[in-house]
Amino acid sequence: LALAMIFINHVPGTIFELATSRNFGFSDAAEGFVFLSGVSAALAYAAAMSGPKLWPGVSKIWGRAWTLYLVHLLVTVWVIGIAAAAMRFGGASDLLLKDNIQYLFKDMAGVLTGLPLMTHQIGYVNILPMYAMLLLACPALILAGRTAPRLTLAGSVALWLAAGLWMIDLPNFPTPGGGFLNPVSWQLLFVLGLLTGLALRKGDRFVPRHRGLIFAAASVLILSLIWVKVPAFADRANAFLGKLSTMGVPSLIRNFDKTYLSVPRLFHALALIYLVTALPIVRVVADSRWSEPLAQMGRVALPVFALGTILSFAARAVKAVLGDSMLLDSALILGGVFLLWAFAYCLERARAAAKAGA
């Protein structure tokens, strides 16, 4: 579901965006994707890190990070190619003049240096570099999370807090400032997912079900929904945040910043994650045959994400050339989601056939 929503949100300006999670609160599908990446990392690699020799497990995790790096470069080249093709064959130069692609014309040598270093990232193509960096730290995080989960979480929170208070980010060469999705901040969601996955491996929950926590999570989600859907309430609430600014309250507390994963976004994401995992009805729906297409996409998440990013830029190019219309948007979005499912289905069939042959 996160993959489908990311694809939809990466084609801005369609009515289908209104159905994605970011229109009902402060966070979006990216937070869920990073949290689930941590869960998946624990489920996939914790066993390999449990033997007396650590290098086989470390090499497996770092090998995955290398794969992410290669996929990121592949997607980046495709995205630049799609933007160039829209201009060359459709006369639409808009895609070449935004999302950091425009710096190719301002500082080509710098961009061509920054792309393989992952310091220069194209807009909407910036989540895999962060994920790859987090996987490099994953072996140490698994060892720490297995022996001292609360201390590991405390260290992660301290790092997130330091990054938000002192604006610690990785460089974004050759452009000024830091990366859009700051791994120093977003590591907190990954670590929470990792600790959740380590608990799941033991048949447990990292954060137990509790009526009080369920009520608190539901309250955060309802407050966020009212905030984004009721303009009168939003005006008063935003004015209150403005007063906090004049009082010197740090931006990490009062902003909705995605780069540093500010408190409103973080609390909304955690509330949604907790409520989704605490309500039994969600498991029933997820296990139903109607959810199987989404589950198939999730089981081959990396190739589906890569294809979804490429398809989203292709859809944006088509819209730039042909213009906006409800019929075109429906064809692009619904057709794109169908292609993502069909791709996942074919990948699963191919893997099953290869396994049977072996």
Side-chain angles (χ1 to χ4, degrees):
L1 184 59
L3 291 168
M5 288 193 294
I6 287 173
F7 166 72
I8 293 170
N9 289 334
H10 282 188
V11 189
T14 75
I15 195 173
F16 296 93
E17 283 186 290
L18 300 178
T20 61
S21 61
R22 74 176 186 180
N23 288 282
F24 301 94
F26 304 138
S27 65
D28 57 33
E31 281 87 351
F33 182 87
V34 174
F35 176 84
L36 288 170
S37 297
V39 175
S40 301
L43 296 178
Y45 305 123
M49 294 293 299
S50 60
K53 296 182 178 180
L54 296 180
W55 177 245
V58 172
S59 62
K60 185 177 182 181
I61 298 173
W62 286 357
R64 182 65 169 177
W66 176 248
T67 299
L68 291 175
Y69 172 72
L70 296 179
V71 171
H72 168 69
L73 293 182
L74 172 69
V75 172
T76 299
V77 171
W78 265 96
V79 163
I80 294 174
I82 289 170
M87 178 179 175
R88 176 66 175 81
F89 301 106
S93 60
D94 186 52
L95 289 182
L96 278 175
L97 302 176
K98 61 173 60 173
D99 298 326
N100 278 345
I101 301 177
Q102 69 272 23
Y103 288 100
L104 273 170
F105 307 105
K106 300 178 181 180
D107 185 4
M108 181 179 293
V111 170
L112 293 180
T113 302
L115 287 178
L117 294 176
M118 295 194 300
T119 59
H120 186 79
Q121 299 167 13
I122 306 300
Y124 300 103
V125 194
N126 42 29
I127 197 168
L128 288 185
M130 174 187 62
Y131 187 14
M133 294 176 192
L134 294 176
L135 276 185
L136 292 178
C138 190
L141 291 173
I142 289 176
L143 294 176
R146 194 158 48 199
T147 56
R150 293 184 179 180
L151 185 59
T152 302
L153 177 58
S156 178
V157 170
L159 189 59
W160 163 79
L161 191 60
L165 292 178
W166 293 298
M167 301 298 173
I168 301 172
D169 198 352
L170 299 184
N172 197 33
F173 177 84
T175 55
F180 179 62
L181 295 179
N182 179 14
V184 187
S185 298
W186 280 70
Q187 53 77 29
L188 177 56
L189 276 176
F190 183 82
V191 169
L192 281 166
L194 188 81
L195 296 174
T196 299
L198 291 174
L200 284 173
R201 286 180 55 84
K202 298 184 292 185
D204 199 2
R205 288 179 60 94
F206 180 63
V207 180
R209 287 187 180 89
H210 189 278
R211 287 186 178 181
L213 289 176
I214 292 175
F215 176 78
S219 299
V220 169
L221 295 179
I222 292 171
L223 176 65
S224 303
L225 179 63
I226 295 173
W227 196 314
V228 300
K229 292 299 183 182
V230 181
F233 181 86
D235 290 341
R236 291 179 177 269
N238 291 332
F240 173 73
L241 294 181
K243 290 182 179 180
L244 293 181
S245 176
T246 61
M247 295 167 58
V249 175
S251 61
L252 180 68
I253 308 298
R254 57 180 169 77
N255 278 1
F256 300 91
D257 186 71
K258 191 170 184 176
T259 295
Y260 293 98
L261 195 60
S262 59
V263 167
R265 291 189 69 98
L266 176 63
F267 277 27
H268 181 264
L270 295 181
L272 182 58
I273 290 167
Y274 183 79
L275 202 61
V276 163
T277 61
L279 298 179
I281 185 62
V282 175
R283 173 56 65 91
V284 174
V285 173
D287 283 343
S288 71
R289 63 187 181 92
W290 300 104
S291 299
E292 180 59 17
L294 294 174
Q296 287 178 319
M297 291 166 58
R299 288 195 290 266
V300 286
L302 179 59
V304 168
F305 176 82
L307 178 62
T309 303
I310 293 171
L311 287 179
S312 69
F313 270 83
R316 291 174 63 190
V318 171
K319 285 168 60 67
V321 173
L322 300 182
D324 292 323
S325 74
M326 181 62 185
L327 181 61
L328 179 61
D329 288 351
S330 300
L332 292 173
I333 298 299
L334 297 179
V337 173
F338 175 79
L339 284 176
L340 293 179
W341 166 77
F343 182 54
Y345 176 81
C346 292
L347 283 179
E348 283 213 317
R349 290 292 299 270
R351 289 182 179 183
K355 185 176 180 180

